[in-house]
Amino acid sequence: MATPVSNEALSLTSDKNAYKVGDTPVSTVLAKKSCFLTLVNLDDKGTATVLLPNKFQQHNKVKAGQEIQFPGQKAPFQFRMQDKGFEQVIATCSESADVDGIKNNFAKEALTTVPNFTRGVAGAVQAD
């Protein structure tokens, strides 16, 4: 189990410290208060992609003290490491579903790309 990263509202833990290209990481998030959870992946090239909510898992309201695994065991998708380098998963706990003006359009794309997204709790992992 990787070392958890946390702030006052969230704790984010990855199942490993390092991955290989093609691996499917699983993150565990614990929110200390009920909120809308947003998970964003920031890659080495600076591309940010919203992992949660997504086309398949649009409901992102979590209860205080409820441990969430992403992706869940029954999720109809996988998060797969695609490139070598460092990746950051950023978790944000918000009182509203609108986080930093992110506009999801699930009819158009399964995952939303976001320029310049840098808030929240982040944990970095490396893929070899």
Side-chain angles (χ1 to χ4, degrees), residues 4-13 28-40 52 60-68 89-95 99 117 119-123:
V5 179
S6 65
N7 70 10
E8 295 173 10
L10 286 173
S11 170
L12 172 66
T13 307
T28 302
V29 182
L30 177 64
K32 295 179 183 166
K33 63 179 184 176
S34 294
C35 64
F36 290 92
L37 176 64
T38 300
L39 296 176
V40 176
L52 182 72
N60 63 328
K61 179 81 172 172
V62 297
K63 295 179 184 175
Q66 179 183 8
E67 199 171 76
I68 304 295
V89 175
I90 302 167
T92 302
C93 186
S94 176
E95 291 182 7
V99 174
F117 185 88
R119 347 179 354 187
V121 175

Side-chain angles (χ1 to χ4, degrees), residues 42-63:
L42 182 62
D43 69 17
D44 241 0
K45 299 171 191 141
T47 302
T49 304
V50 178
L51 301 175
L52 182 72
N54 60 61
K55 180 177 183 172
F56 309 101
Q57 199 170 359
Q58 295 179 30
H59 177 74
N60 63 328
K61 179 81 172 172
V62 297
K63 295 179 184 175

Side-chain angles (χ1 to χ4, degrees), residues 41-48 82-88 116:
N41 183 68
L42 182 62
D43 69 17
D44 241 0
K45 299 171 191 141
T47 302
Q82 294 183 354
D83 300 308
K84 287 186 176 184
F86 286 96
E87 305 254 345
Q88 249 184 348
N116 304 318

